Amino acid sequence: MQQNKTAISVKDLSMAFEDKAVLWDIDLEIPEGVLMAIVGPNGAGKTTFLKAMLGVIKPAAGRTELFGEEIKKNLKKIAYVPQKNTIDWDFPCTVLDVVLMGTYGQLGWIKRPGAKQKQQAIEALDQVGMTLFMDRHISELSGGQQQRIFLARALVQHADVLLMDEPFVGVDAVTEREIIHLLKKLSSEGKTIIVVHHDLQTVKAYFNWIFMLNVRQIADGPVETVFTEENLRLTYGSRSAYLSETI
Protein backbone atom coordinates (compact mmCIF):
# COMPACT_ATOMS: atom_id res chain seq x y z
CA MET A 1 0.00 0.00 0.00
CA GLN A 2 1.10 3.58 -0.64
CA GLN A 3 2.35 5.15 2.58
CA ASN A 4 0.59 8.38 3.50
CA LYS A 5 1.89 11.18 5.70
CA THR A 6 2.54 10.35 9.32
CA ALA A 7 -0.49 10.62 11.62
CA ILE A 8 1.18 9.60 14.90
CA SER A 9 4.86 9.72 15.74
CA VAL A 10 6.05 8.01 18.93
CA LYS A 11 9.60 8.87 19.95
CA ASP A 12 11.73 7.07 22.57
CA LEU A 13 8.69 6.07 24.63
CA SER A 14 9.44 4.11 27.81
CA MET A 15 7.25 3.21 30.77
CA ALA A 16 7.95 1.52 34.09
CA PHE A 17 5.93 0.46 37.12
CA GLU A 18 7.82 -0.02 40.40
CA ASP A 19 11.16 -0.14 38.58
CA LYS A 20 9.93 -2.81 36.15
CA ALA A 21 9.97 -1.80 32.48
CA VAL A 22 6.62 -2.34 30.75
CA LEU A 23 7.54 -0.40 27.60
CA TRP A 24 11.08 0.17 26.45
CA ASP A 25 12.33 2.74 23.93
CA ILE A 26 9.44 2.63 21.43
CA ASP A 27 9.93 4.51 18.14
CA LEU A 28 6.93 4.27 15.87
CA GLU A 29 5.60 6.12 12.83
CA ILE A 30 1.93 5.40 12.07
CA PRO A 31 0.78 6.55 8.61
CA GLU A 32 -2.49 8.39 8.15
CA GLY A 33 -5.40 6.23 7.04
CA VAL A 34 -4.11 2.83 8.14
CA LEU A 35 -6.10 0.22 10.06
CA MET A 36 -3.43 -1.00 12.48
CA ALA A 37 -3.40 -3.91 14.91
CA ILE A 38 -1.27 -3.89 18.05
CA VAL A 39 -0.46 -7.51 18.92
CA GLY A 40 1.59 -9.18 21.59
CA PRO A 41 1.29 -11.65 24.48
CA ASN A 42 -0.42 -10.88 27.80
CA GLY A 43 1.67 -8.40 29.74
CA ALA A 44 3.34 -7.06 26.58
CA GLY A 45 2.27 -3.48 27.35
CA LYS A 46 -0.40 -3.03 24.66
CA THR A 47 -2.97 -1.16 26.77
CA THR A 48 -0.21 0.74 28.56
CA PHE A 49 1.13 1.83 25.19
CA LEU A 50 -2.24 3.36 24.20
CA LYS A 51 -2.57 5.16 27.52
CA ALA A 52 1.01 6.42 27.46
CA MET A 53 0.53 7.74 23.93
CA LEU A 54 -2.57 9.65 25.03
CA GLY A 55 -0.93 10.93 28.20
CA VAL A 56 -3.50 9.16 30.39
CA ILE A 57 -0.46 7.79 32.20
CA LYS A 58 2.82 9.67 32.23
CA PRO A 59 5.64 7.84 30.47
CA ALA A 60 9.08 7.65 32.03
CA ALA A 61 10.53 9.04 28.82
CA GLY A 62 9.57 9.95 25.30
CA ARG A 63 6.86 11.91 23.54
CA THR A 64 4.04 11.46 21.06
CA GLU A 65 3.09 13.79 18.23
CA LEU A 66 -0.15 13.90 16.26
CA PHE A 67 0.21 15.37 12.79
CA GLY A 68 3.48 17.01 13.81
CA GLU A 69 2.25 18.61 17.04
CA GLU A 70 2.34 17.48 20.65
CA ILE A 71 -0.55 15.08 21.12
CA LYS A 72 -1.93 16.91 24.19
CA LYS A 73 -2.67 19.88 21.94
CA ASN A 74 -4.76 17.72 19.61
CA LEU A 75 -6.79 15.46 21.86
CA LYS A 76 -10.03 16.59 20.21
CA LYS A 77 -8.83 14.83 17.07
CA ILE A 78 -8.68 11.48 18.91
CA ALA A 79 -11.46 9.14 20.01
CA TYR A 80 -10.65 6.40 22.52
CA VAL A 81 -12.67 3.23 23.14
CA PRO A 82 -11.39 1.55 26.33
CA GLN A 83 -11.74 -2.07 27.35
CA LYS A 84 -15.29 -2.93 28.36
CA ASN A 85 -14.25 -4.22 31.77
CA THR A 86 -13.02 -0.73 32.74
CA ILE A 87 -16.51 0.79 32.38
CA ASP A 88 -19.20 1.06 35.08
CA TRP A 89 -22.17 -0.47 33.28
CA ASP A 90 -24.46 0.25 36.24
CA PHE A 91 -24.03 4.00 35.82
CA PRO A 92 -27.54 5.49 35.40
CA CYS A 93 -27.60 6.54 31.76
CA THR A 94 -29.17 5.48 28.50
CA VAL A 95 -27.56 4.47 25.23
CA LEU A 96 -28.27 7.92 23.79
CA ASP A 97 -26.70 9.59 26.84
CA VAL A 98 -23.47 7.64 26.30
CA VAL A 99 -23.24 8.60 22.64
CA LEU A 100 -24.00 12.26 23.42
CA MET A 101 -20.95 12.26 25.70
CA GLY A 102 -18.91 12.19 22.50
CA THR A 103 -20.09 15.74 21.70
CA TYR A 104 -18.81 17.27 24.96
CA GLY A 105 -15.35 17.88 23.51
CA GLN A 106 -16.87 20.23 20.93
CA LEU A 107 -19.32 21.90 23.33
CA GLY A 108 -17.25 22.09 26.49
CA TRP A 109 -18.60 21.03 29.87
CA ILE A 110 -20.86 24.07 30.44
CA LYS A 111 -23.09 23.83 27.36
CA ARG A 112 -25.59 21.00 27.11
CA PRO A 113 -26.10 18.99 23.90
CA GLY A 114 -28.95 20.38 21.82
CA ALA A 115 -31.05 19.20 18.90
CA LYS A 116 -28.07 19.24 16.52
CA GLN A 117 -25.95 17.05 18.78
CA LYS A 118 -28.87 14.69 19.41
CA GLN A 119 -29.34 14.25 15.67
CA GLN A 120 -25.63 13.54 15.25
CA ALA A 121 -25.83 10.91 18.02
CA ILE A 122 -28.85 9.26 16.40
CA GLU A 123 -27.03 9.14 13.05
CA ALA A 124 -24.00 7.53 14.74
CA LEU A 125 -26.25 4.95 16.39
CA ASP A 126 -27.78 4.23 13.00
CA GLN A 127 -24.31 3.56 11.59
CA VAL A 128 -23.76 0.84 14.18
CA GLY A 129 -27.31 -0.51 14.03
CA MET A 130 -28.36 0.62 17.52
CA THR A 131 -31.07 3.27 17.00
CA LEU A 132 -33.78 0.98 18.38
CA PHE A 133 -31.87 0.78 21.67
CA MET A 134 -31.30 4.50 22.24
CA ASP A 135 -33.61 4.71 25.28
CA ARG A 136 -32.33 1.52 26.93
CA HIS A 137 -30.19 1.58 30.05
CA ILE A 138 -26.64 0.53 29.21
CA SER A 139 -26.77 -2.33 31.73
CA GLU A 140 -29.46 -4.01 29.59
CA LEU A 141 -27.16 -4.47 26.61
CA SER A 142 -25.21 -7.51 25.49
CA GLY A 143 -21.42 -7.36 25.15
CA GLY A 144 -21.63 -6.75 21.41
CA GLN A 145 -24.23 -4.03 21.84
CA GLN A 146 -22.13 -2.31 24.47
CA GLN A 147 -19.19 -2.23 22.09
CA ARG A 148 -21.36 -0.77 19.34
CA ILE A 149 -22.51 2.16 21.46
CA PHE A 150 -18.95 3.08 22.40
CA LEU A 151 -18.03 2.95 18.73
CA ALA A 152 -21.00 5.27 18.05
CA ARG A 153 -19.70 7.63 20.76
CA ALA A 154 -16.35 7.69 18.98
CA LEU A 155 -18.03 8.33 15.60
CA VAL A 156 -19.95 11.34 16.89
CA GLN A 157 -16.65 12.95 17.91
CA HIS A 158 -15.67 13.14 14.20
CA ALA A 159 -12.11 12.36 15.26
CA ASP A 160 -9.26 11.83 12.81
CA VAL A 161 -7.75 9.03 14.91
CA LEU A 162 -9.62 6.20 16.62
CA LEU A 163 -7.96 4.10 19.35
CA MET A 164 -9.70 0.88 20.42
CA ASP A 165 -8.58 -1.45 23.19
CA GLU A 166 -9.63 -5.06 22.42
CA PRO A 167 -13.01 -4.14 20.90
CA PHE A 168 -13.84 -7.72 19.88
CA VAL A 169 -13.60 -9.33 23.33
CA GLY A 170 -17.01 -10.74 24.28
CA VAL A 171 -18.48 -9.85 20.89
CA ASP A 172 -20.31 -12.38 18.72
CA ALA A 173 -19.02 -13.21 15.23
CA VAL A 174 -21.72 -11.25 13.38
CA THR A 175 -21.10 -8.08 15.40
CA GLU A 176 -17.34 -8.48 14.96
CA ARG A 177 -17.69 -8.62 11.19
CA GLU A 178 -19.99 -5.58 11.18
CA ILE A 179 -17.58 -3.57 13.33
CA ILE A 180 -14.55 -4.42 11.19
CA HIS A 181 -16.55 -3.56 8.05
CA LEU A 182 -17.25 -0.10 9.51
CA LEU A 183 -13.62 0.34 10.60
CA LYS A 184 -12.42 -0.50 7.08
CA LYS A 185 -14.84 2.05 5.66
CA LEU A 186 -13.57 4.73 8.05
CA SER A 187 -9.98 3.85 7.15
CA SER A 188 -10.77 4.16 3.44
CA GLU A 189 -12.09 7.67 4.19
CA GLY A 190 -8.73 8.65 5.70
CA LYS A 191 -9.31 7.94 9.39
CA THR A 192 -6.37 6.38 11.24
CA ILE A 193 -7.53 3.44 13.37
CA ILE A 194 -5.42 1.65 15.98
CA VAL A 195 -6.76 -1.55 17.57
CA VAL A 196 -5.32 -3.65 20.37
CA HIS A 197 -6.06 -7.12 19.02
CA HIS A 198 -5.55 -10.62 20.37
CA ASP A 199 -6.76 -12.98 17.62
CA LEU A 200 -3.81 -13.69 15.34
CA GLN A 201 -5.99 -15.73 13.00
CA THR A 202 -7.87 -12.61 11.81
CA VAL A 203 -4.96 -10.17 11.49
CA LYS A 204 -4.51 -10.63 7.73
CA ALA A 205 -8.23 -10.34 7.02
CA TYR A 206 -8.85 -7.31 9.23
CA PHE A 207 -5.76 -5.07 9.15
CA ASN A 208 -3.30 -3.53 6.68
CA TRP A 209 -0.74 -2.31 9.25
CA ILE A 210 0.66 -3.94 12.38
CA PHE A 211 2.74 -3.16 15.46
CA MET A 212 4.20 -6.23 17.18
CA LEU A 213 5.06 -5.54 20.81
CA ASN A 214 6.49 -7.40 23.78
CA VAL A 215 7.68 -4.64 26.11
CA ARG A 216 10.14 -3.82 23.34
CA GLN A 217 9.21 -2.99 19.79
CA ILE A 218 9.52 -6.17 17.74
CA ALA A 219 8.33 -5.04 14.31
CA ASP A 220 5.94 -2.62 12.61
CA GLY A 221 4.76 -1.91 9.10
CA PRO A 222 2.44 -3.37 6.43
CA VAL A 223 0.84 -6.66 7.45
CA GLU A 224 1.84 -8.28 4.17
CA THR A 225 5.55 -7.84 4.90
CA VAL A 226 5.81 -7.66 8.72
CA PHE A 227 3.39 -10.37 9.86
CA THR A 228 5.85 -13.22 9.41
CA GLU A 229 6.57 -16.43 11.29
CA GLU A 230 9.93 -15.08 12.42
CA ASN A 231 8.42 -11.88 13.86
CA LEU A 232 5.66 -13.89 15.54
CA ARG A 233 8.25 -16.08 17.24
CA LEU A 234 10.22 -13.02 18.35
CA THR A 235 7.00 -11.55 19.77
CA TYR A 236 5.47 -14.62 21.40
CA GLY A 237 8.43 -16.94 21.88
CA SER A 238 7.44 -20.57 22.35
CA ARG A 239 4.09 -19.74 23.97
CA SER A 240 2.14 -20.07 20.74
CA ALA A 241 2.25 -23.52 19.18
CA TYR A 242 0.13 -22.62 16.15
CA LEU A 243 2.19 -19.70 14.83
CA SER A 244 3.09 -21.41 11.57
CA GLU A 245 -0.63 -21.96 10.90
CA THR A 246 -1.49 -18.31 11.66
CA ILE A 247 0.28 -16.89 8.66
Side-chain angles (χ1 to χ4, degrees):
M1 62 178 291
Q2 181 179 356
Q3 186 165 333
N4 300 328
K5 68 179 182 180
T6 299
I8 296 178
S9 178
V10 180
K11 301 178 180 179
D12 304 320
L13 187 68
S14 295
M15 187 77 207
F17 293 133
E18 297 180 353
D19 296 326
K20 179 183 178 182
V22 291
L23 294 171
W24 186 254
D25 200 22
I26 308 296
D27 282 289
L28 186 65
E29 301 286 324
I30 304 173
E32 183 179 25
V34 298
L35 178 50
M36 185 181 92
I38 302 176
V39 302
N42 291 337
K46 302 183 293 295
T47 295
T48 301
F49 174 72
L50 286 189
K51 292 180 176 180
M53 272 204 313
L54 287 169
V56 174
I57 54 178
K58 183 177 176 60
R63 63 192 301 243
T64 303
E65 294 179 351
L66 178 65
F67 299 116
E69 294 186 311
E70 186 179 359
I71 199 165
K72 289 183 179 179
K73 298 178 180 179
N74 286 293
L75 290 178
K76 289 183 179 180
K77 295 181 180 180
I78 298 176
Y80 174 52
V81 179
Q83 291 182 9
K84 289 190 301 175
N85 61 10
T86 64
I87 296 161
D88 180 6
W89 295 105
D90 293 322
F91 189 79
C93 62
T94 66
V95 166
L96 184 60
D97 292 334
V98 171
V99 180
L100 281 171
M101 290 176 188
T103 66
Y104 291 169
Q106 303 164 24
L107 294 172
W109 289 101
I110 298 176
K111 293 183 180 179
R112 294 178 61 84
K116 177 183 177 181
Q117 286 74 35
K118 184 175 180 180
Q119 183 58 38
Q120 290 175 344
I122 292 171
E123 290 172 1
L125 284 168
D126 184 57
Q127 281 187 269
V128 299
M130 288 292 290
T131 49
L132 295 177
F133 297 82
M134 71 172 69
D135 295 321
R136 293 247 188 121
H137 187 278
I138 57 173
S139 65
E140 300 174 10
L141 304 179
S142 68
Q145 290 167 344
Q146 290 170 347
Q147 200 60 263
R148 287 177 193 234
I149 65 165
F150 273 88
L151 178 55
R153 187 183 70 171
L155 292 174
V156 85
Q157 291 179 240
H158 301 295
D160 296 315
V161 176
L162 176 58
L163 308 180
M164 307 183 76
D165 195 351
E166 300 215 28
F168 303 124
V169 171
V171 170
D172 62 87
V174 173
T175 299
E176 182 170 320
R177 287 195 295 270
E178 290 175 350
I179 290 174
I180 200 65
H181 176 76
L182 179 56
L183 295 183
K184 286 183 175 182
K185 179 176 181 294
L186 293 171
S187 174
S188 72
E189 294 170 355
K191 306 292 186 183
T192 305
I193 302 169
I194 301 168
V195 179
V196 173
H197 191 60
H198 72 282
D199 184 1
L200 297 177
Q201 301 287 351
T202 56
V203 166
K204 280 190 169 181
Y206 287 1
F207 303 97
N208 55 26
W209 208 261
I210 192 167
F211 173 38
M212 306 178 79
L213 174 69
N214 191 349
V215 181
R216 294 177 180 272
Q217 181 172 356
I218 306 300
D220 63 277
V223 168
E224 59 190 18
T225 57
V226 172
F227 192 59
T228 64
E229 183 172 353
E230 176 61 21
N231 283 336
L232 283 165
R233 293 192 184 283
L234 289 171
T235 305
Y236 290 87
S238 59
R239 281 174 282 183
S240 187
Y242 61 91
L243 291 180
S244 59
E245 299 175 8
T246 299
I247 61 172

